[in-house]
Amino acid sequence: MDDAVLLPSSKHQKLSGEQIFGEGIDIISSLSDNVLHHIISFLSTEDSIRTSILSRRWQYLWTSISDINLDVNSYLSGRRNDTDKKNDQCPMGQTFLDFVDRVLHLHDASDIKRLHLNIDGPVSSSRLSSWISVAVRHNVQELDLNLPGRTQFLLPRCLFTCESLLVFRLFMDYFLKAPSFIYFSSLKTLAFHSLTFSDDESTQNLFSNCPVLEELTLTYCGWKKMKTLTISIPTLKRLTIDDDPMWSDAADVLSCVVKIYTPNLIDLKFTSNLKIHFHLCELSSIVNAYINLLYEDMLQPDVYPRVIGVLRGICNVKRLTVSEDTVLSILDVENIVECLPTFHNMTDLELNAEFRSSFTEILINLLEKSPQLEFLDFAWGFDPDDIHDHNVDLMLERVPSHCSVKEFSLSCFEGKPIEMHFLKFLLKNATLLESMTLYSGPALSEDLEKEVEVQNQLRAFPRGSESCTIELL
């Protein structure tokens, strides 16, 4: 007879269970430290500490957690839900600071891989320095600091020479005071948000002493009383600059020039009103770029040559996305045909805005200046309030000297006259066009009769490429 697994009766199962629990056998606590540490790693920092009350076996396990998230908001939320109201008599902010002290200063000798610290309230510079120093001593790899606004902190010197640090993010709405000696030997990701650079030399040292940096993000940063800054990082692959219009309106930042030399940069996200003069130099390896030039904030005519400077700086890009403000900024540049650079490597162009009839001249120029362009995408469709076909009619009279587009995509397609004018132009003049994909908007998709009429019109348009297929989705 084959071996069989005999399942105990439900009564026997119940008795066995009673015996186990009656004997007080704690199966989880009998696991190895490595397994228990792994279990704790799935808990929040607060819940990890709460495990200390389970038994003596668990009392100090939390002191070895490697991913520490100290967020005042989640801490206070947990306190409000706590049934024990006794500790609520203490000031919440002070209780949180004591909580941070306990977590960091009682940590055992093991490494801290990640420390996220979000403070919303007064804290002394010495106390903050002690916390950061603990993280550095424990070989922190990722440090994320969100500090109270409008408060001056002197960050500890040991932070700026930390050999283990791979990722450093700093949100601090105040001036950054960095030491004279800085060297981030292992840092690969650096992100600054809302802080202000005010000293040429220390800022220069900061960006010059990250020998393996691959990703840099500067969001809403100020450049006060600075003349020239050179960011030369040969290893940089990803750069994000989101300029703060409020800072750039100040008189003492208008003369600031930031020169960026990143020959191995692959991805660029650039948002600015160009009141601060950014020089994008030697971006020979750039693949992806998103350019958003804040048109409404460009109040001075001398800003517009900088628009062309940005475009020339990214002329080697392969895939380019431009915003509506960027197109409007280009429109205001005098002699745009002569000034516009040639994008020799660009294969993809995405318009991250609703296309207007006034954009047609710029589009013609871009088509002529992009000899390798294969994919053209109007990601937001056409402006629904633009009913002026005059500019599009003029466009039909001017044929670009070169149009290499193979794929065209249009979103929010409604079959309006201005859209049909443009599609007629493109089908006639894009001799290499292979596919046209039209994503219909709600008005067209819900009107079957109109949809059939549009499809018939599209089929009747003359085509420069007989192999082109049109798909209405």
Side-chain angles (χ1 to χ4, degrees), residues 210-224:
C210 304
V212 295
L213 192 67
E214 296 181 357
E215 181 173 355
L216 175 63
T217 300
L218 302 173
T219 306
Y220 281 14
C221 291
W223 313 82
K224 191 175 178 65

Side-chain angles (χ1 to χ4, degrees), residues 170-188:
L170 176 60
F171 185 117
M172 185 176 70
D173 190 10
Y174 210 76
F175 295 91
L176 175 66
K177 290 206 170 200
S180 56
F181 183 74
I182 301 170
Y183 193 71
F184 289 108
S185 60
S186 305
L187 193 67
K188 292 189 175 182

